[in-house]
Amino acid sequence: MEALLVILAVLVAATPIAVIYLLISNANLKKRLTALETRLRNGEGTALVQATSAPHDLAPTASNAPPGPKNPVEPKTDTATLDIPARATVASAEAPVQPAPEAPSQAVVFNAENVQALVTWVTKNWFYVASAVSLALAGIFLVIYSVEQGLLPASVRITAAFVFGGALVAAGEYIRRRHGDDESSSTAYLPSTFSGAGIVTLFASVLAARLLYDFISPEVALIGMAVVGALALVLGWFYGPFLAAVGVIGAMIAPFIIGGASDTPSFLLLYFFIISTVGLAIDTLRRWAWVSVISLVAGFGAGTMLMLSAGWPVPLYFTMYCAALAGIAIAIPVRKWMPDHAGTLLSLTVFSRETDIAWPEFPVRLAGGAVLTSSGLIVFTALETTHTDLFWTAVAMLSLLTLAVLIWARKASALVDLAVLPAVALIAIVASGAPLWQMSQDLGSDFQEPQMSLMASIIVAIGLLLSIAGAWRSLQNGPAQMFVALGAATLAPALAIAMEVFWHPADSLGTYAWALHAMIIGAVMVGMAERFAHADGPEHRERMSFAILSALACIAFAMIIMFSSSALTTAIALTIVAAAWLDRKFNLPLMSLYMLAGVVFVGYRLVIDPGKDWAIEAPLADMLLSHGGAVVAFAVSYVLVKAAQRQNAMILLESAVFSSLGILVSILLYRAIVSLSGVNDVDSHWAFGIGATIWIVLGMAQLHRVQIGGAFAMVRLGLGSLFVLLGGFLVLLAITVSNPLFDSYSNLILGPKIFNTLIPAYLLPALALGAGAWRLRMISKPQKRAFLGTALALGGLWLVLTIRHFWRGAVGMEWPGMDQPELYSYTVALLVIGAGVFYQSLARPNATLRKAGLVFIGLAVAKVFFLDISGLGGLIRIFSLLFLGLSLAGLAWLNRWAAARTETAPLAKNE
């Protein structure tokens, strides 16, 4: 059986060797045929006969080379395509290979043309690929078989593998020197095939000697891989890209083919790192572009496969490995210890809507892809880990990667936006570290590790370090200084907020200790604002604004941690006043952003958390401090921004004053009703009316803010409409199921005549709708008429119910049934309303109001003739009709005079 295996191995190795021998033996055939065809076209029959009789003289030398132009033009090489299937025609086989340009490649590797070129090349030259794979496998299996069978001592086995790999490299170099490796040579790709397979065999030999059989120490293995890597690097500079592809891909796959078990599988990560470094180093001189991509993709892919298949502690070292790959992807392509990538920012190209922005150069895109992949893989590895070491290693690597982009690559203006990738990954890792924090707190101080008790403090310190580094980078100026300043002002607070949301450090550290962390961050932001103000001067305040916004947010964050519900709402409202004052004092338009966030936060607290229920049950002083303080703060802020002429902020704060005042009045009415009556019925008509008023004023506030415009205009419109509909639904409940007309005992009216619960139930929502119709300028006329019509209907319902309650009392409200005094009261009310409206039409003057007044008076007259007169008798009927007739005559004359005045008055408006 073993003999058969040996024969099979010999056949596998002999097959590609035989093919290669046949190719070499006919090495000059293509050149000879080309020369013959050229001479035939030129009619040189004698030369043809001589060529037939003496074929060896046709070797392309200076004496017999085909004639060409006196000044041959070197063919252009397009670096934007793969270099494998190059078709450049040369004048002679001895023509020197022109060196690649030194400028960074702008190659776009993954596009349809390159993929098609690769498929075409593989289709035409698949036997070179198969040959390289066969030779590499032969070397790998030679190592495995010799050890498994015990045919030779350990040293001889490894030596034999090295000799085989060296022989392949030597054969490739011999062919390259003798016949060349370019496309024009008949031996094209053969040197790369041999040498690439030899490099793979050498790497596999070192790897097997160390990991599989422990024949050599880690130090010796590292030296061996370095030597083989140096050899591959030198060969890659002289050979075509096929060698780099074979060497990188084959070396990455070799460990998975060898298999076996090892006590130190993490050593393979160092091996993969060396292979990736070699691939990048080859491409940094040759500028093929796709070789760099293959090196990084294979490096990240092989490392990920190892991390997924191997156990602990490989994930720990894998995070370091990913960060190291990102580092070499930044440095090697530009061949600089201090990267200096210039050009367009990658984020600007990806997210900008402009179409004329230049695409970043290839080294920038390569670095961006490496940093993105590295950050993503670190998050994938360490997310929600239960290993303390892995958590801290991931935090350290992402922090170092962020610092590397900000400080180490400070001359690389095109890479500055990449700092956001590891920074966001860091926030994700910190947020997912809640189980570790909880575990450390559950263990107690006697068992937890020292760094775990300071876990939150260490994270805050790291965030401050990164924010300070970002501020320093922004102060160096550059194309993205605003972007970096914004990130510097955001990162440290974002880490603290992530811990607050997921960890709840205050439960263990105490509220004051944790709030002190937030205040320290705020103090650093204040110092950052001072530096930005000193650097920018009074003309440019954007960077200073970012830092001040962050400081205000940190102060608000500390208040959230320390204060109670009432104090917190007031404290946040006071920070809005501070932001408005800072804007007026130092001309900081960006303070409007904080005002927007503050108004939203305070509104959330007034309505939802702790909301209306808390305001009803809380002590009166706390409620006034929370809700009344918000109203006062909004009003003061409105005065300040009005002085600073911030139109959008004025609209925002004006609506905030309106809505918060409406909420405060509604809550005070509710509390007064409960306090005076002792009844707290959430399903009553007055409870529904108060709830409807709150939602209506909130909806009107959102609709008022629509005129600010921007990206949130539709959101505000949708929220405003939703809130108004919610208020309308509660009004509908108050009109139907909770109406005292239908069940006066279950829906008992509380309070004296006129001033009772009918006011909050119906009049208050009507006033809110009327105020909205009066103040909202952005809504359409049909919407304004709908609001006004609903307000008038609710006001009319309140008047009818108030009159009925005046004459019949709370228990006699049910319909039907009506006494004469009540009936006459409705007539008087109609006349009074009509007279009042008519008077307003004269004071304005306004034709619409005049007609509306006449409608009310007409209704009163109709009611008198059809309803009221039947209940009158004697002199009362006579004098009533007499008075009504004289009044109507005078009214007719007054209407005629008012109509003429309305038509001639220049200020009249027929709306």
Side-chain angles (χ1 to χ4, degrees):
M1 184 64 181
E2 294 181 1
L4 292 176
L5 292 176
V6 172
I7 294 173
L8 181 60
V10 171
L11 290 175
V12 171
T15 300
I17 295 174
V19 173
I20 294 168
Y21 169 77
L22 292 174
L23 291 172
I24 295 176
S25 64
N26 294 279
N28 293 324
L29 182 58
K30 182 178 179 180
K31 296 177 183 178
R32 293 174 182 174
L33 289 175
T34 302
L36 288 173
E37 291 174 355
T38 302
R39 296 193 177 192
L40 282 173
R41 284 195 298 268
N42 295 334
E44 300 179 7
T46 306
L48 177 61
V49 175
Q50 293 178 353
T52 308
S53 61
H56 61 277
D57 291 335
L58 283 179
T61 62
S63 61
N64 58 14
K70 294 181 180 181
N71 297 316
V73 179
E74 194 67 20
K76 296 182 179 180
T77 303
D78 186 4
T79 59
T81 59
L82 268 67
D83 228 356
I84 293 177
R87 299 291 182 184
T89 304
V90 295
S92 171
E94 298 292 328
V97 179
Q98 295 295 325
E102 291 296 326
S105 172
Q106 298 193 28
V108 179
V109 177
F110 295 108
N111 56 32
E113 294 180 2
N114 288 349
V115 172
Q116 183 60 39
L118 177 61
V119 172
T120 302
W121 185 89
V122 172
T123 302
K124 294 182 178 180
N125 303 279
W126 62 268
F127 41 85
Y128 292 110
V129 179
S131 176
V133 171
S134 299
L135 291 174
L137 291 175
I140 294 172
F141 286 124
L142 174 63
V143 177
I144 299 175
Y145 182 77
S146 63
V147 176
E148 289 178 349
Q149 301 302 320
L151 300 177
L152 299 170
S155 58
V156 178
R157 302 168 191 168
I158 299 303
T159 302
F162 275 109
V163 169
F164 181 72
L168 291 176
V169 173
E173 180 64 14
Y174 173 79
I175 298 172
R176 187 189 70 84
R177 289 177 178 271
R178 183 67 180 270
H179 303 286
D181 190 33
D182 57 346
E183 179 69 21
S184 62
S185 174
S186 60
T187 58
Y189 310 124
L190 286 180
S192 297
T193 301
F194 274 102
S195 297
I199 292 297
V200 174
T201 302
L202 293 176
F203 272 123
S205 301
V206 176
L207 201 62
R210 168 61 196 145
L211 294 182
L212 196 56
Y213 307 111
D214 201 21
F215 289 155
I216 56 178
S217 64
E219 294 78 9
V220 175
L222 182 60
I223 294 172
M225 285 191 292
V227 172
V228 177
L231 176 63
L233 178 63
V234 173
L235 293 177
W237 287 340
F238 289 95
Y239 284 65
F242 186 57
L243 176 131
V246 171
V248 171
I249 298 175
M252 291 291 184
I253 296 175
F256 301 99
I257 297 177
I258 293 175
S262 173
D263 296 333
T264 57
S266 55
F267 184 80
L268 280 173
L269 294 174
L270 179 61
Y271 167 79
F272 295 145
F273 178 77
I274 292 175
I275 302 300
S276 298
T277 303
V278 170
L280 290 171
I282 292 174
D283 203 35
T284 191
L285 184 65
R286 300 305 299 270
R287 299 296 185 186
W288 289 312
W290 62 271
V291 173
S292 296
V293 175
I294 287 178
S295 301
L296 287 178
V297 170
F300 281 117
T304 303
M305 292 176 62
L306 178 66
M307 184 270 296
L308 293 175
S309 59
W312 184 260
V314 173
L316 182 68
Y317 296 104
F318 178 69
T319 57
M320 304 179 192
Y321 169 78
C322 289
L325 282 185
I328 62 174
I330 294 174
I332 293 180
V334 294
R335 301 196 296 274
K336 296 289 182 63
W337 290 109
M338 301 293 290
D340 59 351
H341 301 66
T344 308
L345 296 175
L346 187 60
S347 60
L348 185 63
T349 308
V350 174
F351 298 108
S352 177
R353 296 180 180 179
E354 299 180 11
T355 57
D356 56 346
I357 297 179
W359 190 250
E361 295 183 345
F362 176 75
V364 176
R365 301 198 303 275
L366 187 71
V371 173
L372 175 62
T373 306
S374 177
S375 302
L377 287 177
I378 292 176
V379 171
F380 174 75
T381 305
L383 195 68
E384 297 183 351
T385 180
T386 56
H387 292 278
T388 304
D389 295 341
L390 179 57
F391 173 83
W392 285 116
T393 302
V395 169
M397 292 301 104
L398 291 172
S399 301
L400 289 176
L401 198 53
T402 306
L403 289 173
V405 176
L406 293 175
I407 298 178
W408 173 55
R410 59 185 178 273
K411 296 181 180 179
S413 59
L415 300 184
V416 66
D417 57 336
L418 299 183
V420 71
L421 299 175
V424 172
L426 177 62
I427 296 173
I429 291 295
V430 169
S432 69
L436 286 176
W437 170 260
Q438 188 60 44
M439 182 177 62
S440 69
Q441 303 310 308
D442 294 341
L443 290 175
S445 58
D446 296 334
F447 299 97
Q448 64 183 215
E449 300 178 17
Q451 71 270 22
M452 297 306 296
S453 61
L454 300 175
M455 196 171 178
S457 302
I458 294 174
I459 296 297
V460 169
I462 291 174
L464 287 175
L465 175 63
L466 297 178
S467 289
I468 292 172
W472 175 85
R473 176 64 185 271
S474 179
L475 288 171
Q476 307 306 306
N477 298 322
Q481 56 180 328
M482 293 298 174
F483 170 83
V484 181
L486 178 61
T490 305
L491 182 54
L495 287 172
I497 292 173
M499 287 189 288
E500 170 64 22
V501 173
F502 296 97
W503 294 20
H504 308 294
D507 297 340
S508 303
L509 299 178
T511 55
Y512 289 100
W514 180 233
L516 182 61
H517 288 73
M519 296 302 291
I520 291 174
I521 298 174
V524 173
M525 295 300 147
V526 171
M528 190 184 301
E530 188 276 331
R531 288 290 85 199
F532 285 143
H534 179 76
D536 295 339
E539 295 81 11
H540 304 284
R541 297 292 195 184
E542 290 83 3
R543 295 193 293 182
M544 174 185 173
S545 299
F546 294 152
I548 291 178
L549 285 173
S550 180
L552 288 174
C554 291
I555 294 172
F557 179 41
M559 292 176 178
I560 291 173
I561 297 171
M562 290 190 299
F563 291 161
S564 61
S565 295
S566 59
L568 174 59
T569 304
T570 305
I572 301 301
L574 288 177
T575 61
I576 298 174
V577 177
W581 178 81
L582 288 170
D583 183 16
R584 180 183 178 185
K585 182 72 175 178
F586 299 106
N587 189 23
L588 303 175
L590 289 178
M591 290 298 104
S592 299
L593 295 176
Y594 182 84
M595 293 182 225
L596 171 61
V599 168
V600 172
F601 182 82
V602 172
Y604 172 82
R605 292 192 58 79
L606 293 180
V607 179
I608 298 177
D609 184 17
K612 183 185 73 172
D613 295 337
W614 174 87
I616 292 173
E617 301 294 337
L620 180 61
D622 290 348
M623 191 278 294
L624 289 176
L625 178 63
S626 173
H627 289 62
V631 174
V632 173
F634 289 153
V636 174
S637 301
Y638 174 77
V639 173
L640 291 173
V641 299
K642 187 176 182 180
Q645 294 298 315
R646 306 292 184 207
Q647 187 63 32
N648 290 343
M650 288 170 57
I651 295 172
L652 175 71
L653 290 169
E654 182 184 21
S655 62
V657 172
F658 171 73
S659 59
S660 60
L661 182 61
I663 294 172
L664 176 62
V665 172
S666 301
I667 295 297
L668 288 175
L669 278 175
Y670 193 103
R671 292 177 66 105
I673 293 171
V674 174
S675 176
L676 294 175
S677 65
V679 178
N680 188 1
D681 187 3
V682 296
D683 295 329
S684 61
H685 56 280
W686 50 272
F688 284 138
I690 290 175
T693 303
I694 292 175
W695 286 112
I696 288 172
V697 297
L698 289 175
M700 295 299 175
Q702 293 295 332
L703 293 176
H704 185 61
R705 295 169 190 171
V706 171
Q707 58 186 308
I708 297 176
F712 293 101
M714 296 304 298
V715 176
R716 293 189 179 104
L717 180 61
L719 288 176
S721 303
L722 177 62
F723 293 163
V724 171
L725 288 176
L726 287 174
F729 176 72
L730 293 178
V731 167
L732 183 63
L733 293 178
I735 294 174
T736 54
V737 297
S738 296
N739 196 328
L741 284 177
F742 304 138
D743 190 352
S744 60
Y745 291 97
S746 300
N747 302 305
L748 191 65
I749 298 175
L750 305 175
K753 296 178 180 180
I754 299 178
F755 299 103
N756 48 49
T757 55
L758 292 175
I759 291 177
Y762 304 105
L763 184 59
L764 198 60
L767 292 176
L769 286 169
W774 170 54
R775 291 294 299 172
L776 294 180
R777 301 181 180 89
M778 299 300 294
I779 61 175
S780 62
K781 284 188 176 181
Q783 291 174 324
K784 184 173 291 190
R785 289 170 182 168
F787 288 158
L788 187 59
T790 306
L792 291 175
L794 284 175
L797 178 61
W798 167 79
L799 182 60
V800 169
L801 293 176
T802 300
I803 292 174
R804 188 173 181 82
H805 178 262
F806 183 86
W807 293 107
R808 302 177 66 90
V811 296
M813 290 293 296
E814 291 188 33
W815 188 270
M818 185 179 299
D819 297 332
Q820 287 295 328
E822 179 186 352
L823 188 63
Y824 300 150
S825 298
Y826 295 138
T827 303
V828 173
L830 287 173
L831 288 173
V832 170
I833 294 174
V837 174
F838 196 85
Y839 171 77
Q840 287 296 320
S841 70
L842 297 177
R844 300 278 176 134
N846 189 294
T848 302
L849 289 177
R850 179 173 56 82
K851 295 175 182 178
L854 291 176
V855 169
F856 281 105
I857 294 174
L859 289 175
V861 171
K863 182 175 179 295
V864 168
F865 280 106
F866 291 103
L867 296 177
D868 297 349
I869 199 172
S870 61
L872 300 177
L875 292 176
I876 297 178
R877 176 185 298 180
I878 295 172
F879 282 105
S880 296
L881 291 175
L882 177 62
F883 176 76
L884 179 61
L886 293 174
S887 300
L888 290 176
L891 185 63
W893 172 81
L894 188 63
N895 176 55
R896 185 177 183 84
W897 174 80
R901 183 170 178 265
T902 302
E903 292 175 358
T904 58
L907 298 178
K909 296 181 181 179
N910 188 2
E911 297 180 349

